Amino acid sequence: MKGIRQLAEQLDISIGTVSRALNGKPDVNDETRRRVLAAAEELGYVANQSGRSLRQGETKVIGLMIESSAEAVENADNFFLGVISGLQSVFARHKLDLIMLPCPSDEDPHEYLKRMVARRIVDAMIISNTQRIDRRIDLLSRAKIPFVAVGRSVSASNSPWIDLDFEGVADRAVERLIARGHRRIAITAPSSEVNLGYVFLDSYRRALERHDIAFDPSLVIRVRSSEQGGYQAAHELLLLEERPTAVILIYELMAIGLYRRLMESGVIPGRDLAVIGFRDAPRAQFLQPSLSCFRMSLYDLGAALGRMLLANMPAYREVYPDEACNIIWPLELTPGESDAFQVGAMV
Amino acid sequence: MKGIRQLAEQLDISIGTVSRALNGKPDVNDETRRRVLAAAEELGYVANQSGRSLRQGETKVIGLMIESSAEAVENADNFFLGVISGLQSVFARHKLDLIMLPCPSDEDPHEYLKRMVARRIVDAMIISNTQRIDRRIDLLSRAKIPFVAVGRSVSASNSPWIDLDFEGVADRAVERLIARGHRRIAITAPSSEVNLGYVFLDSYRRALERHDIAFDPSLVIRVRSSEQGGYQAAHELLLLEERPTAVILIYELMAIGLYRRLMESGVIPGRDLAVIGFRDAPRAQFLQPSLSCFRMSLYDLGAALGRMLLANMPAYREVYPDEACNIIWPLELTPGESDAFQVGAMV
DNA sequence: CTGAAAGCGCTTACAG
DNA sequence: CTGAAAGCGCTTACAG
């Protein structure tokens, strides 16, 4: 089976009618449509996307840009795989396909995106790993490519994004720890310029201020967002002169490395040091003592991202009229044993 | 900037010459080429892929099909992220872009691939998670789409694949354990129909036979290939009447769950039970006692897959004349402490 | 070395 | 309800 021409010849009918029948246009005789669909099915005909795209000016493909950096490789987690299912659940309704665009580690993300966009491989983009200043946002805005970002950015003046509620997490973690008598509360922060680090730290500082606890820069531990980073964080924490009684983590896998390093030193989470993790990850679920952390549905996040994106695409706008342009995605606290003690209660 | 027509108008030159200049054709005046390239750069012109594809009959895009099943989500590891870098290193030489095609979990992988192939979004495919009988291989062969499979299959009569050396791993693991006095050696196997399970078990049986050890079906523990599967495997293993003295794992993350369950019962790997893991994963690297396992370069595997694929594409065949059609990818043993004891040596 | 023209496979006004 | 034709943006023989 080659193209629509062969299919039309076989049916002894014009290619226009075949096209209309296949695309569900109303002005086609029922019997004709039946024959066309049957023949297409039998011969395995599917319209060549390049032909369609060229004619229609759209590809029916949505791109999700990811980065395959060495760090990402070492530190793969299920975040995007989980989100993808949610995205696809929305896109499937409109016969849109999702593809992932992995930016090579030796290529500038901005240049990569520029190339992909200019080639018109996709109609719209989802970008992630948003930086505090992210030129990709300007690029997409200027090129008028619909997009949505996972993560806020200073660059995103008017553009759509969904971000996890880092403020809420930091805030509730600090409040919870203070209520249990903690005053020296350490926090981890990413070593990169990724925007969420700023948001997280700001909220932590404000929460401390509310309780008249002075901000101590030595309690901000900058490490890579990875299991190894968690190990490193515990290591630095143990070296501090006046050791904190609690630590708040910013990335889901940190807890695993942190636990390991603590255990090596005989420091037991939930007894000697309170630990509050970030998102619950499948791999962290077996930690002993169980980790107090925050929970969310990756699938729901993906679905929300999908709807928000479609609400920003002219062709689908009217189907999603009430979508917000920006969402702070809430996380729910799951209490565990890792912070289940009161400071000073051991008298 | 719209299309090549606008660029040509701007330069007061024909679109044919612009195209030839941009595509590096030899018969273009140096000065003309310089002007064209400068203007394209300045205006951010990149050829519309649909136009090119339609004309040339190729997309310059290679697809990597992955599955975003619930199991994959819970169990994300770095395998594909690592392989991607290697693939891209080869594809970049030919200006080929790699995209990932995530098959929705509620769609049949065969139907999904059929659709993607028929739409002609990609020139060639890399498929993975190969099943013992895998209709995708017939589909791609019949459609004459160049492809390479990660993993052997009974369906792959003549088609290219690279597979990890499961025989070698099972064989060397058994030999190593027998040399240390083990006679009751358990082995894990996947609960699915994935082909590697058959290969792994066959090799295990043959190795036992060589040493006149009867095959005991109760020592084959079928679990999901995941951290949780490892936990489950340890659980079942501890329930066996005559407990084995050693266990061989088939999947990299199993070791983590297995260790956890063993520890819970006070069974120490490397003292009470010998454990040999599969591939070393970043997350397993901190296990205590350290895990004896096998090592390989994901990057190199990706590069080999890329070369093998190109060797099967008419347009690139001559550049890669000596590529093998099938490769059993070797893994190197990394001895650890988890099997460092001699059975019966404790007299 | 350059230009004019054909045509890749579709979809969609436009006639009838 | 159907057909004939235009044209989406490119690349590439073919003339000159």
Side-chain angles (χ1 to χ4, degrees):
Chain A
M1 172 49 47
K2 296 289 292 305
I4 198 173
R5 187 135 268 136
Q6 283 72 13
L7 184 58
E9 257 169 36
Q10 178 115 353
L11 289 161
D12 202 23
I13 208 177
S14 80
I15 59 166
T17 300
V18 171
S19 173
R20 282 190 293 267
L22 252 21
N23 289 303
K25 302 286 170 180
D27 54 351
V28 178
N29 179 291
D30 279 351
E31 170 62 11
T32 309
R33 189 192 303 279
R34 208 195 45 69
R35 283 181 59 220
V36 172
L37 290 174
E41 170 68 21
E42 190 198 329
L43 299 167
Y45 171 79
V46 178
N48 176 314
Q49 188 59 41
S50 297
R52 297 190 87 160
S53 301
L54 196 53
R55 173 62 222 240
Q56 307 200 106
E58 59 177 20
T59 62
K60 300 279 186 186
V61 175
I62 311 288
L64 167 64
M65 176 171 165
I66 61 171
E67 290 177 46
S68 60
S69 62
E71 178 150 334
V73 170
E74 277 182 31
N75 197 34
D77 79 338
N78 63 336
F79 191 83
F80 280 110
L81 280 178
V83 169
I84 281 175
S85 294
L87 283 168
Q88 287 176 326
S89 73
V90 173
F91 294 159
R93 298 205 280 266
H94 307 285
K95 302 209 174 194
L96 291 166
D97 277 308
L98 177 72
I99 66 172
M100 293 160 79
L101 303 174
C103 175
S105 46
D106 57 359
E107 191 167 352
D108 175 52
H110 184 257
E111 288 302 316
Y112 176 78
L113 180 62
K114 197 165 150 186
R115 205 173 85 234
M116 288 301 160
V117 161
R119 285 175 68 182
R120 307 264 148 188
I121 286 177
V122 299
D123 292 341
M125 283 293 311
I126 299 151
I127 61 173
S128 62
N129 200 15
T130 316
Q131 303 296 298
R132 189 163 170 77
I133 305 291
D134 202 317
R135 290 167 58 222
R136 295 178 302 172
I137 292 176
D138 306 314
L139 170 69
L140 291 167
S141 302
R142 268 204 304 273
K144 300 211 195 312
I145 306 291
F147 73 99
V148 47
V150 183
R152 276 159 281 192
S153 167
V154 176
S155 306
S157 49
N158 242 328
S159 59
W161 49 258
I162 299 187
D163 203 358
L164 303 193
D165 184 15
F166 291 98
E167 291 96 331
V169 166
D171 192 70
R172 273 189 288 163
V174 172
E175 289 291 349
R176 183 174 164 88
L177 290 168
I178 288 177
R180 291 172 182 218
H182 295 273
R183 305 285 294 176
R184 276 186 74 70
I185 301 169
I187 190 164
T188 53
S191 42
S192 70
E193 278 295 295
V194 69
N195 192 56
L196 60 92
Y198 293 87
V199 178
F200 201 57
L201 273 190
D202 278 356
S203 182
Y204 161 80
R205 290 186 67 152
R206 282 199 305 272
L208 291 181
E209 267 171 28
R210 274 202 305 279
H211 292 272
D212 295 320
I213 299 176
F215 171 72
D216 178 353
S218 74
L219 292 180
V220 176
I221 305 176
R222 294 204 173 267
V223 286
R224 296 208 337 223
S225 289
S226 67
E227 196 171 322
Q228 285 85 344
Y231 189 89
Q232 178 67 22
H235 188 74
E236 294 189 15
L237 197 146
L238 293 170
L239 291 176
L240 287 174
E241 284 191 24
E242 194 187 343
R243 192 190 290 172
T245 60
V247 62
I248 301 169
L249 305 179
I250 196 173
Y251 177 68
E252 44 265 33
L253 298 184
M254 278 185 179
I256 300 170
L258 181 107
Y259 264 51
R260 192 137 33 210
R261 182 66 189 87
L262 292 180
M263 299 291 202
E264 284 174 17
S265 296
V267 175
I268 310 288
R271 195 194 69 184
D272 309 319
L273 180 74
V275 179
I276 298 190
F278 190 67
R279 193 170 63 79
D280 66 323
R283 317 187 205 171
Q285 138 189 344
F286 280 134
L287 284 177
Q288 280 295 340
S290 65
L291 183 67
S292 288
C293 62
F294 295 83
R295 189 191 295 269
M296 57 168 287
S297 162
L298 293 174
Y299 183 93
D300 291 347
L301 174 65
L305 279 167
R307 288 192 303 267
M308 186 182 283
L309 182 61
L310 294 183
N312 281 279
M313 294 175 72
Y316 306 96
R317 186 162 293 153
E318 69 279 10
V319 191
Y320 300 91
D322 300 322
E323 289 301 321
C325 182
N326 300 310
I327 300 179
I328 300 278
W329 195 262
L331 288 91
E332 184 193 340
L333 180 72
T334 311
E337 298 155 359
S338 65
D339 67 346
F341 70 101
Q342 194 81 25
V343 171
M346 41 190 48
V347 192
Chain B
M1 171 51 42
K2 296 289 292 304
I4 198 173
R5 188 136 268 136
Q6 282 72 11
L7 185 57
E9 258 169 35
Q10 177 115 354
L11 289 161
D12 201 24
I13 209 179
S14 79
I15 59 166
T17 301
V18 171
S19 173
R20 282 190 292 267
L22 252 22
N23 289 302
K25 302 285 169 180
D27 52 352
V28 177
N29 178 291
D30 279 351
E31 170 60 11
T32 308
R33 188 193 305 277
R34 208 194 45 68
R35 283 182 57 222
V36 172
L37 290 175
E41 169 70 21
E42 190 198 331
L43 299 167
Y45 171 80
V46 178
N48 176 313
Q49 188 58 43
S50 296
R52 297 190 86 159
S53 299
L54 196 54
R55 173 63 224 238
Q56 306 199 108
E58 59 178 19
T59 61
K60 299 280 185 185
V61 175
I62 311 288
L64 166 63
M65 176 172 165
I66 62 170
E67 290 178 46
S68 60
S69 63
E71 178 149 336
V73 171
E74 276 182 31
N75 198 33
D77 79 336
N78 64 336
F79 191 83
F80 280 110
L81 280 178
V83 169
I84 280 175
S85 294
L87 283 167
Q88 287 176 326
S89 72
V90 174
F91 294 158
R93 296 204 281 266
H94 307 285
K95 303 209 172 193
L96 292 167
D97 277 309
L98 177 72
I99 67 173
M100 292 161 79
L101 303 173
C103 175
S105 46
D106 57 359
E107 191 168 350
D108 175 52
H110 184 257
E111 289 303 316
Y112 176 79
L113 180 61
K114 197 164 150 187
R115 206 173 84 234
M116 288 301 159
V117 161
R119 286 175 68 182
R120 306 265 150 187
I121 285 176
V122 299
D123 292 341
M125 283 294 309
I126 300 151
I127 61 173
S128 61
N129 200 14
T130 316
Q131 304 297 296
R132 191 165 170 77
I133 304 292
D134 203 316
R135 291 167 57 224
R136 296 178 301 172
I137 292 175
D138 305 315
L139 170 68
L140 291 167
S141 300
R142 268 204 305 271
K144 301 210 196 313
I145 307 290
F147 73 99
V148 48
V150 184
R152 278 159 280 192
S153 167
V154 175
S155 307
S157 49
N158 242 329
S159 60
W161 51 258
I162 299 188
D163 203 359
L164 304 193
D165 183 14
F166 291 97
E167 290 96 330
V169 166
D171 192 70
R172 273 188 290 162
V174 171
E175 289 290 349
R176 184 174 164 89
L177 290 167
I178 289 177
R180 292 172 181 219
H182 296 273
R183 303 286 292 176
R184 276 187 73 70
I185 301 168
I187 190 165
T188 53
S191 42
S192 70
E193 278 296 297
V194 67
N195 193 54
L196 60 90
Y198 293 86
V199 178
F200 201 58
L201 273 189
D202 278 356
S203 183
Y204 161 81
R205 290 185 67 152
R206 282 199 305 273
L208 291 180
E209 266 170 30
R210 274 201 307 277
H211 292 273
D212 295 320
I213 299 176
F215 171 73
D216 177 353
S218 74
L219 292 180
V220 176
I221 305 177
R222 294 203 173 267
V223 285
R224 297 207 336 225
S225 289
S226 67
E227 197 171 321
Q228 284 83 343
Y231 189 89
Q232 177 67 21
H235 187 76
E236 294 189 15
L237 197 146
L238 292 169
L239 291 175
L240 287 174
E241 284 191 25
E242 195 186 344
R243 192 189 292 173
T245 59
V247 61
I248 301 169
L249 306 179
I250 195 172
Y251 177 69
E252 43 266 35
L253 298 184
M254 277 186 180
I256 300 172
L258 182 107
Y259 264 51
R260 191 139 31 212
R261 182 67 190 89
L262 292 180
M263 299 292 200
E264 284 174 16
S265 296
V267 175
I268 309 289
R271 193 194 72 185
D272 309 318
L273 179 74
V275 180
I276 298 189
F278 189 67
R279 193 170 63 81
D280 67 324
R283 318 186 205 171
Q285 141 189 341
F286 279 134
L287 284 177
Q288 280 294 343
S290 65
L291 183 68
S292 288
C293 62
F294 295 84
R295 190 190 296 268
M296 57 169 289
S297 161
L298 293 175
Y299 183 93
D300 291 348
L301 174 64
L305 279 166
R307 288 192 303 269
M308 186 182 282
L309 181 60
L310 294 182
N312 281 278
M313 294 174 70
Y316 306 98
R317 186 162 292 152
E318 70 278 9
V319 191
Y320 300 91
D322 300 324
E323 289 301 320
C325 182
N326 301 309
I327 300 178
I328 299 278
W329 195 263
L331 286 91
E332 185 193 339
L333 180 72
T334 311
E337 299 156 358
S338 64
D339 67 344
F341 69 101
Q342 194 81 26
V343 171
M346 41 190 51
V347 194

